[in-house]
């Protein structure tokens, strides 16, 4: 296993499957009455979050704690960052305190890669700008595999704000590695330039893609990243690209609906769809903890094959 997890594209098929299989073991721990392993006792994990987050930050925190690591939660607000300290000095300070792993979320695409050049410990990308969010893609793949029993040959449709979505980018890379086929559906304004080079198909017609999708992953419309107007109105967006009950009825019977959260209920996804039995949204959150446990365990040198300390 590599030292850092910066991009979903860095994982070979075997490495990705190792993470998913390890996460399945971790999920068994989560189901036990005592949800804790001694594996990372004495190790320190720093959560370095420069962007707001609910599920990803708490998920990493819980994952590290379930492996008995010490966890430091650092957020830019209330730190020396608000006094102008740069990423490098912040990172070196944390390293001087003995961080074995740094989990970073940053508004700047590429920040985790820079960090990896400065610190000795492992760096985990927990979302960098509009670039990547590899642990989200891993938990999504884990969720697809546990619901549908396979990844190879699955038809996965990602819908919505592809342009600003690090979740979409990481999913496209990982799903290709794992043998699934991805179709992107979005208004033309929310499709990134250079998409021809992505290992994915593009469609502007949601209704045509629905009947052949095993998975439909709805993406949040990221209004905080939009400096311009990308579509005429929320109503128009929902009408063409939102998933409501009528559209959900066009899906094959076994297919599932996913969303990384946070959701704009009523915009990209109707409340009744989000809360339906087809929705994996709550499972994705649960699986996120197991997947992050697996990633921390593998990166921090937990030997595979049952060796425990
Ligand atoms: C995503 C993110 O932050 O990239 N959320 C998450 O990590 N669960 C997607 C989003 O913000 O829409």
């Amino acid at each position: 296993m590599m030292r850092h997890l910066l991009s979903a594209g860095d994982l070979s098929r075997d490495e990705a499957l190792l993470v998913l299989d390890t996460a399945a073991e971790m999920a068994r721990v989560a189901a036990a009455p005592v949800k804790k392993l001694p594996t990372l006792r004495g190790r320190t994990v720093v959560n370095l979050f420069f962007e707001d987050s609910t599920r990803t930050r708490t998920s990493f925190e819980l994952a590290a704690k379930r492996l008995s690591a010490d966890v430091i939660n650092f957020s830019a607000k209330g730190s020396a960052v608000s006094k102008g300290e740069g990423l490098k000095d912040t990172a070196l300070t944390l390293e001087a305190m003995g961080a074995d792993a740094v989990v970073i979320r940053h508004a700047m695409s590429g920040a985790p890669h820079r960090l990896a050049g400065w610190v000795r410990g492992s760096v985990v990308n927990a979302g960098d700008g509009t670039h990547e969010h590899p642990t989200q893609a891993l938990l999504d793949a884990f969720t697809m595999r546990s619901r549908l029993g396979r990844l190879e040959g699955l038809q996965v449709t990602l819908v919505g704000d592809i342009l600003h979505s690090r979740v979409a980018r990481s999913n496209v890379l990982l799903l290709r590695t794992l043998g699934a086929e991805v179709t992107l559906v979005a208004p033309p304004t929310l499709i990134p330039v250079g998409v021809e080079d992505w290992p994915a198909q593009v469609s502007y017609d949601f209704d045509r893609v629905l009947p052949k999708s095993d998975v439909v992953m709805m993406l949040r419309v990221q209004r905080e990243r939009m400096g311009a107007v990308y579509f005429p109105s929320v109503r128009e967006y929902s009408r063409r690209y939102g998933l409501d009950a009528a559209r959900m009825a066009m899906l094959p019977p076994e297919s599932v609906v996913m969303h990384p959260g946070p959701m704009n209920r009523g915009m990209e996804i109707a409340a009744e769809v989000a809360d339906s039995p087809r929705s994996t949204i709550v499972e994705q959150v649960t699986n996120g903890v197991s997947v992050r446990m697996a990633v921390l365990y593998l990166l921090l040198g937990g030997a595979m094959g049952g060796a425990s300390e």
Side-chain angles (χ1 to χ4, degrees):
M1 188 77 185
M2 56 196 51
R3 183 150 68 96
H4 307 295
L5 180 58
L6 303 175
S7 162
D10 292 343
L11 293 165
S12 67
R13 190 182 139 81
D14 284 351
E15 285 169 330
L17 290 173
L18 177 63
V19 175
L20 301 187
D21 292 343
T22 307
E25 296 293 326
M26 297 302 178
R28 273 194 263 283
V29 176
V34 178
K35 302 179 180 13
K36 215 155 170 162
L37 290 176
T39 325
L40 296 184
R41 193 185 285 150
R43 315 297 292 275
T44 302
V45 175
V46 175
N47 276 328
L48 192 55
F49 276 62
F50 293 90
E51 259 190 6
D52 296 341
S53 172
T54 306
R55 66 211 85 215
T56 305
R57 194 189 60 72
T58 49
S59 182
F60 270 108
E61 179 175 357
L62 197 53
K65 285 184 169 165
R66 285 193 175 162
L67 294 170
S68 306
D70 294 323
V71 183
I72 296 169
N73 287 311
F74 174 97
S75 66
K77 274 191 207 106
S79 75
V81 170
S82 61
K83 298 180 184 171
E85 185 170 66
L87 178 60
K88 183 170 185 178
D89 287 321
T90 303
L92 293 178
T93 301
L94 296 167
E95 164 126 288
M97 293 178 191
D100 296 293
V102 180
V103 178
I104 177 173
R105 169 167 286 197
H106 201 285
M108 198 178 79
S109 298
H113 296 72
R114 296 300 298 276
L115 187 65
W118 295 326
V119 299
R120 282 188 303 274
S122 292
V123 175
V124 182
N125 181 359
D128 61 328
T130 58
H131 183 230
E132 280 220 48
H133 192 355
T135 58
Q136 179 70 41
L138 285 162
L139 78 88
D140 291 336
F142 183 91
T143 305
M144 289 176 210
R145 192 174 75 163
S146 60
R147 270 282 189 123
L148 300 167
R150 69 196 165 101
L151 288 162
E152 191 80 48
L154 275 190
Q155 298 290 330
V156 180
T157 304
L158 308 186
V159 187
D161 188 357
I162 312 284
L163 180 65
H164 299 107
S165 181
R166 51 202 180 197
V167 175
R169 246 167 261 263
S170 288
N171 260 290
V172 166
L173 292 170
L174 186 70
L175 289 168
R176 182 216 12 208
T177 303
L178 293 170
E181 287 180 26
V182 179
T183 303
L184 307 172
V185 176
T189 49
L190 291 175
I191 292 282
V193 173
V195 78
E196 322 69 67
D197 299 330
W198 293 29
Q201 312 249 17
V202 177
S203 169
Y204 303 108
D205 188 347
F206 195 9
D207 292 344
R208 273 187 57 185
V209 178
L210 279 166
K212 55 170 190 166
S213 302
D214 298 306
V215 175
V216 179
M217 188 185 297
M218 304 306 297
L219 299 168
R220 183 173 66 88
V221 176
Q222 302 198 18
R223 280 178 281 194
E224 80 279 15
R225 296 192 206 275
M226 292 183 183
V229 179
Y230 288 87
F231 46 85
S233 67
V234 169
R235 236 180 97 148
E236 165 70 9
Y237 182 90
S238 302
R239 201 176 58 75
R240 297 196 53 180
Y241 298 101
L243 187 60
D244 58 11
R247 283 214 165 99
M248 188 168 66
M250 294 165 71
L251 286 167
E254 302 303 321
S255 61
V256 296
V257 174
M258 306 181 72
H259 193 303
M263 291 181 271
N264 296 307
R265 281 179 186 251
M267 189 171 181
E268 71 266 0
I269 189 164
E272 57 194 315
V273 175
D275 301 329
S276 81
R278 272 180 198 272
S279 158
T280 65
I281 295 167
V282 176
E283 278 157 68
Q284 284 169 268
V285 175
T286 306
N287 294 339
V289 178
S290 306
V291 164
R292 290 173 178 124
M293 285 173 77
V295 167
L296 291 172
Y297 173 70
L298 293 168
L299 288 180
L300 292 180
M304 288 302 298
S308 58
E309 295 158 44

